[in-house]
Amino acid sequence: MRNAIYLRRASKLIVEPGQHRLPQPYLATALKNIEYLGFTLSQPLMEVVQTMSVEQFLELYHQLVSDLKQLIGGNVNFRPMYPNFPKQVMLASEAELYINAIIHYITLQLNEYDALERIPLLDQVDLKIIDLGSAADFDHTIRNLIGAKGSISETDQADVEWVIANYEDVSSILPDEIPLKENVGFVIGTLLKYEKSNSKLISKYIRTATDVLRLAIALSDGDVSLASISKFRKFKRPERRLLLELLEQCGNRVEDMLRYKHRWIRLGEILHPAEYKHKFHGCKEAFDILRNNKPYETFSSKVEHALHLKDTSLAADILQSRPGEFARRLDHMLRMGEDNISVVEKFAAIAEQVSTPVLLQVRAHFSNRNKGHELRTFFPKGNVAKAVAIQNTLPDINSEACEAIVQTCKNTLIRRFAELPAMGDVYVDASLRQYVVPFSQRSASKALRTIVRGSRLELPEGDTIRFYLWWKEGQVDGTPTGRVDIDLSAVMYDEQWQYVEHISYTNLRSAQYKAAHSGDITSAPHGACEFIDIDIPSVVKYGGRYIVATLNSFTGQAYCNLPECFAGWMMRQHPNSGEIFEPSTVVDRIDVTADTRIAIPIILDVVERKMIWCDLALQHHPNYFNNVEGNQKGMVLMGKAMTTLTKPNLYDLFMLHAEARGRIVQHADDAQTVFSVNEGITPFDISTIMAEFIA
């Protein structure tokens, strides 16, 4: 399992050198077989593998093949409605396509077409390299996850939990500090679950009442982000005592508890602090204030009162004691007050105390503040990947104030980064401007390559993009799913986001473009799949610009209630060569597991040949028929939002580090430290970036 995690996270394997000499045919055969899956081994890994016995090697090889197939989706059987797709769909008559669809809808059976022999794959594929890793590097990867400055995904949490459960000594993976509070709750809760912790260790990380609340939620298997309401379980007496002891040591507990008043009241009913006559007096007092609505002036009430009076100078004075909140309210104060100079100066005075993620976001926000973007886009906190886009009605603010804030943030970050170890000569790839800084991966789906929403990836060579979808019906936690019909669709828009055409179960091929759908399968007791091929030059020729790939749960089940559902895409230059699902050509694969019924995995910009990573849920409860035609308005809004997104990018972040910690060079070959898309620190090294560069 450790190698499965390591392979997925870093494309590395831990292999201990042996005392044998592996016969060359074994290694050659293995390399040829994993080449079919799109992978190969690095020279250092091959050298170590050749010291293994045949038995050791075969065990490693079979597990590796199984893990690789799982990563790309090659572990299942892809049997589309039309086995000779795409040519078969393009040549069939409208009558044949219509009659086949009707028969399938009535019988749920597929027509027995003979699968014609296909010519071998003609596409040239760049193989992904699997490198030699180490136990120390693996532990460092997990420690970076725990010490991330942003939220981590459910997949990340599962990896951390496996390590905690299987390591006798967890000291190698625990950092001195866990900066993000929800990670504190999850990690401490997991340590307690597997009896790997003690009160001294817990006290090191728990500092506020909200930390205690998150821990209680973690112990109840709830949402530690606090974005949704979680039900508390009944705690054992030692657990109740521990939570009360942790709460008692927290300063300013009343105000902190008032932020989540009703949750604390429910938790207090379970903790029973009154049972302890001579202990936890601070806890008793706090719960008394909450339960009986006793007056208590909070910090937020003081700030709101000052803003109500439009006294931004007073509000800034109050906020100086809480620098992070000052930074988040900066735009509001500049919009409503006339004394912008005073507010900016007071922000500069406390900027050193503002966290790096907030400074980066403030810098990006005010760099683009007056550019008049049509939409403002937000990603609400929670475990479902949603985006909210609203009309941008913010008035412009003083440009000199914006520039002063941007410069303050830059200078503060450079001074902060300069305290980190030197990096020598540094190369930063300009294409990193297309990649968003990872601040929150909470709702990120498990994927072959994990990337941040809004990032724009270059399309590989090839004219045809092939989307694929696979799902299965059955039972989840003992509950039958019933018949499950998931539909794969692609909608095409022009430069102004005007609808052009779509490919879906209602329109299996395009009248204008070279595009085809493999056929609508409406039941999946043994698994089912759908494909869409789109010829990119033909879309550009007829004025298309954007292609939105969507998944729709036609039968209404949420994806989280399915045994399995995943989607992906591959680039093909010769789409009628090779198999329909050719593992080596897979570019990305993403698990669809959110509590939603419509998903947008990616958007293509076919003019710039960019893939915009979305991993989004469009609607939780669709108001229209659950197909692509019924959700045009929502898709256009999400499309505009994701293609005009303004967020901090990795180029700016790494350039700040380069300026503070090294000397910038123009070529990667001349650098000791490289930041680029394909070598050195890449956008896919998310845990490293979150732990070591958002410092």
Side-chain angles (χ1 to χ4, degrees), residues 187-255:
V187 171
I188 299 302
T190 305
L191 289 169
L192 289 171
K193 177 180 177 180
Y194 294 101
E195 300 180 350
K196 302 288 179 69
S197 189
N198 55 57
S199 57
K200 182 180 179 181
L201 177 62
I202 294 172
S203 299
K204 174 182 176 180
Y205 296 117
I206 300 287
R207 297 175 182 173
T208 69
T210 304
D211 292 345
V212 179
L213 177 62
R214 293 185 198 275
L215 176 56
I217 290 173
L219 293 172
S220 305
D221 295 324
D223 178 10
V224 293
S225 75
L226 306 181
S228 59
I229 303 297
S230 299
K231 184 178 180 180
F232 297 106
R233 67 169 171 83
K234 298 296 182 182
F235 297 113
K236 299 175 182 177
R237 190 173 183 84
E239 293 173 326
R240 289 162 46 202
R241 188 166 57 248
L242 171 63
L243 291 169
L244 287 169
E245 286 173 352
L246 293 171
L247 181 59
E248 189 73 15
Q249 74 179 18
C250 296
N252 200 28
R253 73 179 69 83
V254 175
E255 180 169 347

Side-chain angles (χ1 to χ4, degrees), residues 257-542:
M257 292 168 72
L258 282 168
R259 293 172 58 208
Y260 300 101
K261 177 180 176 180
H262 297 293
R263 303 190 202 194
W264 272 111
I265 290 174
R266 289 198 304 277
L267 181 56
E269 293 169 351
I270 297 172
L271 297 180
H272 304 300
E275 285 186 5
Y276 302 87
K277 293 183 179 180
H278 305 294
K279 298 178 69 175
F280 311 130
H281 300 296
C283 293
K284 294 173 189 174
E285 179 186 8
F287 280 113
D288 181 49
I289 292 172
L290 266 62
R291 281 195 299 264
N292 297 303
N293 295 315
K294 291 186 175 180
Y296 190 91
E297 187 178 33
T298 65
F299 177 85
S300 295
S301 65
K302 296 176 185 177
V303 175
E304 293 300 333
H305 178 67
L307 293 176
H308 179 72
L309 298 175
K310 296 189 177 182
D311 190 341
T312 54
S313 180
L314 174 60
D317 287 339
I318 298 170
L319 286 164
Q320 281 189 309
S321 64
R322 298 201 180 171
E325 193 163 345
F326 191 131
R328 293 183 181 92
R329 290 178 178 259
L330 194 50
D331 194 293
H332 185 193
M333 288 190 287
L334 293 177
R335 290 200 309 271
M336 69 184 307
E338 296 181 359
D339 188 12
N340 286 344
I341 295 177
S342 174
V343 172
V344 172
E345 289 176 346
K346 290 175 181 177
F347 171 71
I350 54 87
E352 293 286 355
Q353 303 169 57
V354 179
S355 70
T356 297
V358 173
L359 284 176
L360 290 169
Q361 292 176 82
V362 169
R363 180 175 184 250
H365 172 76
F366 283 99
S367 295
N368 298 281
R369 178 59 176 79
N370 294 333
K371 291 186 177 179
H373 294 296
E374 178 186 356
L375 298 172
R376 297 171 62 202
T377 304
F378 311 93
F379 298 99
K381 185 163 74 170
N383 294 323
V384 175
K386 292 186 177 180
V388 175
I390 63 174
Q391 204 70 26
N392 181 14
T393 58
L394 294 179
D396 286 354
I397 55 179
N398 183 275
S399 58
E400 293 180 0
C402 291
E403 179 57 36
I405 292 168
V406 170
Q407 198 61 43
T408 293
C409 293
K410 178 181 178 180
N411 294 341
T412 303
L413 289 167
I414 287 177
R415 286 194 296 271
R416 183 172 298 171
F417 295 159
E419 297 176 0
L420 300 173
M423 298 193 302
D425 292 337
V426 183
Y427 171 75
V428 183
D429 185 349
S431 62
L432 291 171
R433 288 189 176 93
Q434 305 290 327
Y435 293 83
V436 178
V437 175
F439 294 120
S440 174
Q441 291 295 102
R442 183 184 300 107
S443 57
S445 299
K446 182 179 179 181
L448 176 58
R449 301 187 301 172
T450 301
I451 198 67
V452 182
R453 291 183 184 93
S455 296
R456 304 170 71 96
L457 289 75
E458 294 280 353
L459 289 180
E461 291 185 8
D463 288 341
T464 299
I465 184 164
R466 177 169 293 170
F467 298 114
Y468 66 90
L469 162 69
W470 195 92
W471 78 97
K472 188 177 182 180
E473 61 195 43
Q475 289 195 350
V476 177
D477 297 329
T479 303
T481 61
R483 182 176 70 87
V484 178
D485 179 6
I486 310 295
D487 292 318
L488 174 66
S489 306
V491 194
M492 302 171 214
Y493 301 92
D494 66 13
E495 181 90 24
Q496 286 73 42
W497 281 95
Q498 297 297 310
Y499 167 82
V500 177
E501 192 173 12
H502 69 274
I503 300 296
S504 73
Y505 72 92
T506 64
N507 187 38
L508 294 187
R509 62 190 180 197
S510 169
Q512 291 181 300
Y513 314 124
K514 295 178 183 177
H517 190 292
S518 66
D520 180 29
I521 299 179
T522 61
S523 180
H526 307 294
C529 64
E530 294 182 6
F531 293 88
I532 289 178
D533 269 17
I534 298 176
D535 179 76
I536 292 174
S538 69
V539 175
V540 176
K541 179 180 178 181
Y542 285 96

Side-chain angles (χ1 to χ4, degrees), residues 20-235:
H20 303 272
R21 185 171 184 82
L22 183 73
Q24 285 190 339
Y26 282 91
L27 178 58
T29 302
L31 290 174
K32 190 65 178 176
N33 289 344
I34 66 171
E35 180 182 317
Y36 169 71
L37 300 174
F39 295 85
T40 191
L41 306 184
S42 70
Q43 183 175 345
L45 181 54
M46 281 192 276
E47 290 173 355
V48 174
V49 163
Q50 290 179 90
T51 68
M52 303 176 76
S53 68
V54 171
E55 293 75 14
Q56 291 170 328
F57 173 73
L58 289 177
E59 182 180 357
L60 174 73
Y61 166 73
H62 289 305
Q63 186 61 54
L64 174 61
V65 169
S66 175
D67 292 339
L68 291 177
K69 286 182 176 180
Q70 187 74 34
L71 281 176
I72 61 176
N75 58 316
V76 300
N77 181 31
F78 283 87
R79 185 195 174 198
M81 176 176 284
Y82 293 99
N84 302 304
F85 172 85
K87 188 175 182 180
Q88 185 179 9
V89 175
M90 298 301 290
L91 295 179
S93 67
E94 291 290 344
E96 181 181 0
L97 295 176
Y98 176 74
I99 292 171
N100 287 344
I102 294 299
I103 291 173
H104 175 64
Y105 296 155
I106 295 172
T107 66
L108 300 182
Q109 301 298 311
L110 298 180
N111 283 328
E112 293 298 328
Y113 286 105
D114 291 331
L116 302 178
E117 184 175 350
R118 302 172 73 93
I119 62 174
L121 181 69
L122 298 176
D123 296 354
Q124 295 295 315
V125 177
D126 293 329
L127 299 177
K128 306 173 186 71
I129 297 175
I130 303 169
D131 208 349
L132 178 65
S134 67
D137 182 62
F138 175 81
D139 290 354
H140 182 71
T141 299
I142 299 301
R143 187 165 59 248
N144 275 345
L145 273 182
I146 295 173
K149 309 300 191 301
S151 61
I152 60 178
S153 69
E154 289 185 3
T155 302
D156 297 333
Q157 290 181 350
D159 292 346
V160 171
E161 180 169 354
W162 183 89
V163 172
I164 290 175
N166 289 275
Y167 276 33
E168 287 191 15
D169 180 9
V170 296
S171 60
S172 64
I173 64 163
L174 291 178
D176 293 333
E177 181 184 6
I178 304 179
L180 191 73
K181 296 301 185 179
E182 62 188 76
N183 291 351
V184 170
F186 160 70
V187 171
I188 299 302
T190 305
L191 289 169
L192 289 171
K193 177 180 177 180
Y194 294 101
E195 300 180 350
K196 302 288 179 69
S197 189
N198 55 57
S199 57
K200 182 180 179 181
L201 177 62
I202 294 172
S203 299
K204 174 182 176 180
Y205 296 117
I206 300 287
R207 297 175 182 173
T208 69
T210 304
D211 292 345
V212 179
L213 177 62
R214 293 185 198 275
L215 176 56
I217 290 173
L219 293 172
S220 305
D221 295 324
D223 178 10
V224 293
S225 75
L226 306 181
S228 59
I229 303 297
S230 299
K231 184 178 180 180
F232 297 106
R233 67 169 171 83
K234 298 296 182 182
F235 297 113

